[in-house]
Amino acid sequence: MARPLSRAFFSRSVHAVAPDLIGAVLLVNGVGGRLVEVEAYHHTDPAAHSFRGPTPRNAVMFGPPGFAYVYRSYGIHWCLNFVCEPKGSASAVLIRAIEPTAGLAAMRRRRGTSDIRLLCSGPGRLCEALGVTGDFTGLALNAPPIAIFARSGPVEIVAGPRIGITKAADLPWRYGEKGSRFLSKPFAPAAAKPSA
DNA sequence: TGCCCGATTAACT
DNA sequence: GTTAATCGGGCAA
């Protein structure tokens, strides 16, 4: 039986939580699917919104773990994060892609496409598909309308550099399910021989 | 008060 | 492969 993720799950290091989220199931009002791609953001990380300290926008990141942080990206899209680590750490996991499994009709309607691979493969896309907006900031991750369940079986996880950032772009803090068709971008194969 | 730029996406050449 | 869309946050003045 699917096990809801506890507050304790999110209280750990963001680098432990992020890979453990791969294969977990996220539902918003019953619409969602399996997490196949996430990125970790730590408060000591120049690319993190919390890096420069608390502000009205990122305040929830400085609160207790197990809550949602949603911000607007490029003035157009919404991006969903899970706040992690003990309160004050201001670290979070960005949800980048899911494999749609529930509420496909609602997703297609919101996204305006029938291509299942374009429904939730990207942080902005999945928020639109699941109906996530800035109003979700501060919502608990273990209470309606949000539900998250631990993965039920083994998953092969790969890691690589994060996407779309310019600061600390070399840190391999993007995690995904190996070979998933629903990644926003494929993971580069391991370099055979770094030369320069 | 103004300016620059971003954890993106879709459309276009 | 390149670029427009679009706007709030954060920092300089």
Side-chain angles (χ1 to χ4, degrees), chain A residues 4 19 42-43 46 51 86 89 131-133 146 168 187:
Chain A
H42 192 261
H43 70 288
F51 180 67
S89 175
V132 172
T133 69
I146 303 175
F187 282 80

Side-chain angles (χ1 to χ4, degrees), chain A residues 14-149:
Chain A
V14 72
H15 299 301
V17 175
D20 279 356
L21 282 171
I22 302 301
V25 172
L26 165 67
L27 298 178
V28 176
N29 287 315
V31 176
R34 297 177 62 245
L35 302 183
V36 296
E37 182 184 345
V38 303
E39 284 178 0
Y41 286 86
H42 192 261
H43 70 288
T44 58
D45 165 13
H49 289 172
S50 55
F51 180 67
R52 296 176 184 277
T55 67
R57 176 176 67 149
N58 65 24
V60 68
M61 287 185 73
F62 288 82
F67 289 85
Y69 166 55
V70 182
Y71 68 93
R72 205 194 266 288
S73 175
Y74 289 86
I76 308 170
H77 309 289
W78 296 107
C79 293
L80 171 65
N81 296 254
F82 297 163
V83 177
C84 297
E85 306 203 2
K87 173 174 176 159
S89 175
S91 300
V93 175
L94 168 69
I95 309 306
R96 287 195 57 88
I98 70 178
E99 175 181 339
T101 61
L104 278 285
M107 294 188 194
R108 290 194 174 102
R109 173 166 39 79
R110 290 171 179 150
R111 291 277 300 122
T113 178
S114 59
D115 187 336
I116 192 170
R117 296 187 57 177
L118 295 180
L119 291 182
C120 299
S121 295
R125 290 169 178 168
L126 80 86
C127 282
E128 185 175 37
L130 271 56
V132 172
T133 69
D135 293 341
F136 280 60
T137 285
L139 290 187
L141 299 176
N142 59 357
I146 303 175
I148 308 174
F149 302 94

